[in-house]
Amino acid sequence: MLAFILRRLAQSIVVMLVVALISFMLFRFVGDPLVSMVGQDTRLDEIAALRERLGLNDPFYIQFFNFVVNALQGEFGISYRLQQPVMDLIVSRAPATLELAFTSALIALFMGLALGVYTAIRPNGVVSRFLMTASLVGVSLPTFLIGIALIYVFAVELGWLPSYGRGQTVNLGGWQTGFLTESGLRSLVLPAITLSLYQMTLIMRLVRAEMLEVLRSDYIKFARARGVPQRRINFGHALKNTMVPVITITGLQLGSIIAFAVVTETVFQWPGVGLLFIQSVQVVDVPVMAAYLMLIAFVFVVINLVVDLLYHVVDPRLRVSTGTAK
Amino acid sequence: MAATALAAGLVTSASAETVRWARSQDATTLDPHSQNLGTNHNFLHHIYETLVDRDNDGALQPRLATEWNLKEGDDTVWVFTLREGVTFHDGAPFTADDVVFSIERAKMEGSNMRQLHADVESVTAVDDYTVEFQMTGPSPIYPNNLTNTFMMDREWSEANDVVEPQDFAAGEDNYAVRNTNGTGPYELTSRDPDVRSVMTYYEGHWGEAPDVTEIQYSVISENATRVAALLSGEVDFVQDVPVQDIQRLSTQGGVKVETGPENRSIFFAYRFGEEPLRSSNVTDSNPFNSPQVREAMHLAVDREAIRQVVMRGQSDPAGVIVPPFVNGWTEELNAFPAPDVERARELMAEAGYEDGFSVTLDTPNNRYVNDEAIAQAVAGMLSQIGINVTLASRPVAQHSPLVQNNETDFYLFGWGVPTFDSAYNFNDLVHTKDGDYGAYNGGLYSNPELDAMIEGLGTEIDETVRDQAIADIWATVQEDRVFLPIHNQVLAYAMNENLTLPVQPENQPRMYEMQVAE
């Protein structure tokens, strides 16, 4: 087990370095960061001097080396656009993204599970057929469009919910939370639904497929024959055995939710790290972009690690196989 | 609340004096001298003040200075008389010493405002309310450079260790980036960069009390969301209104749209010189070097069509690259011919390009209103006279270096004139690229005669002589067709119908000038 974790950690470090290298190479093509830092009447020699001081004239490998060394110390420099330390910015924006991501993940998980189980138990019902069709629409519509549509219906036309921002927040020991105020909760509804729709349909279809598979298996038939109540068969036996792939997907999707919150955050002007990233890309704010990509890579690496470990907990057979594979 | 207001068909804010203002981007820093960006100046004009200000027609107006004139007998010294009884938000009086401090600070290495004060040799306080600026030579239009240089308090700056402007290249972040102490009509009460800032009326301000006593400033970068926030009654005033929404918003009940000319011209420029173009199929000469080709292009472009189709009516077609409120603009300069493709084809043939030629047109796609669409339209118009244009569209962060490094044959560009004087255009766009001059002369146009005249403008004190020189320079620039002007941009602000605020030509709306109807 320990060897397994160590091996995974070593792999993770390699992944992080590769991400850093690729993102750094990409930054060379996004344009000149100085364009957005200076006005039209800044003299060219001043621009050149600034470029020199920022180290943008250094060869690629030196810039990359400096970046990695600084990143290891948690030092990502200062944002060109907002003129503040990048780490401070990301730390101050993280609560917004995490609250949105976890709310969406919860909605996606509970709704996805419930709808998945329902459509599996009654595969031919009218409601199930409707849900299956609707879920297809949910997967295929772009998040951006869904967000704008929700804004127009619920904010502009009906006036029930806010169209942008996070509402009032409360400071809980350095964590700005929107969970404790009415406007914070109201602001959360539309973006959370927008962000959860895709994952919800994914989980629902996955649960349904797995569950149908399990319900056809022999031990379920035996259980039925023995007179075990249908309810216990569905939830005690069948559902439990569909959970391994669901945990995998949910775990991995949590990473995607955080990473793909970018679009939702942009539509709703949700002040999280995703919005910070998009606004940084537009003005070539290299330090923020680099830090964000590293952060997202880190999140994925950690989640993958946790998911692997969770397998061992949920499914005893895997413990044996990794033991022998070594 | 918003729902009931909408249902009633009238949108009134909870308190008539609070204005919720949304725009697409935030100020990057509150340090007044760190950067020279319109967005920052716009925000800071509410908190800090300048010696002189500009009205909506571009004329200079007193603000912290009540009078200014050249010193008698010495035309290298500007004398400013300061307003008395002005206090900073922390209660300290505003005096000549603070002006000396602020100008010196704006001239420091880390300041992006310093080129505006490059001709200032020294600043001295004669008494508490008189300041003398010793210039390096005669600088007749220097007061024009002061309209965005904000005055800070020396004691406050020293106490908070912000005597020098923030130098972010050195990885610095100082107290003044998020804290303020100005003399302006509003105090900063909260600041959450990129999200929301709140400013409240400063009771001790010297001016007349404004209608608006509280400003809630939000950033909403997505166009559709920003407009939706106005329609749902969550904000009262929207800046950066997308062109395609103007028509719809102006017919919407409860909302009104103000439009007005912006101090920014959109034009095309081309490469001069004998050397063949990099992107053309003509490899033995530079077609743009032929005056007939430039005239043909001038005749092939239908500015009126661009206004109607591409800009949906929201632009002022122009024949010169300065808007009307800039000194030097005349109706004759601004005139442009009706498109005449026949004549244009003849001119192309005269120039020896009856078969036309191909060229790459570089355009930004996120900087000016509908920039890429304008370039597309012009590409179509030029194809009618045989010029095959390949469009290369890039974000401004990639487009701008092409112009600065002269790596483009033909490009779209936009130019604002913060000094409201033609000399500003001449210095950067017309003068031969050399040292401080011609920074954005990406086509490398060069005319030594004009260069001498342009340099002369900087020190010419006699206004009549100077204006004549400007007229002469424009005459040559227009005759040489250095630029292919398209139009001046039009700005739009959308707001609640109970608010009134005209468009500010530099896109710096001032909430203290806003009128709120009962």
Side-chain angles (χ1 to χ4, degrees), chain A residues 1 4 22 26 49 60 70 73 78 95 97 122-123 126 139 154 162 170 175 186 188 233 243-244 276 279 283 307 314:
Chain A
M1 186 75 174
F4 169 74
I22 293 176
L26 286 176
F60 170 68
N70 288 331
Q73 298 159 351
I78 196 158
T97 296
R122 291 201 180 75
V126 181
V139 205
F154 292 101
V170 178
W175 181 280
R186 278 159 45 90
L188 188 59
I233 294 179
M243 285 313 274
V244 168
L276 179 69
Q279 290 175 335
V283 297
V307 167
V314 175

Side-chain angles (χ1 to χ4, degrees), chain A residues 29-30 32 37 40-43 46 53 78 81-83 93 155 159 162-164 267 269 271 279 284, chain B residues 3 28 35-36 112 114-115 166-168 172 194 218-221 225 232 234 397-398 416 424 428 436 440:
Chain A
F29 300 104
V30 262
D32 186 356
M37 291 158 74
Q40 75 177 18
D41 47 7
T42 303
R43 312 264 45 106
E46 296 194 9
R53 281 195 293 160
I78 196 158
R81 184 175 66 95
L82 290 168
Q83 318 267 299
R93 296 303 188 79
S163 59
Y164 78 98
V267 177
Q269 193 69 31
Q279 290 175 335
V284 201
Chain B
T28 58
Q35 284 182 299
N36 189 2
N112 224 305
R114 77 187 168 136
Q115 65 269 17
Q166 174 204 20
D167 183 358
F168 59 88
E172 264 180 32
D194 257 9
S218 311
V219 179
I220 308 179
S221 34
T225 313
S232 66
E234 289 165 85
Q398 295 177 14
Y424 188 86
D428 278 335
D436 271 358
Y440 290 86

Side-chain angles (χ1 to χ4, degrees), chain A residues 9-10 13 33 60 66 79 102 126 129 145 200 209 239 255 265-266 273 278:
Chain A
L9 277 179
I13 290 171
F60 170 68
N66 288 339
S79 157
F102 279 111
V126 181
R129 282 160 191 268
L145 203 68
M200 188 200 297
L239 185 59
E265 288 186 7
T266 310
V273 281
I278 282 292

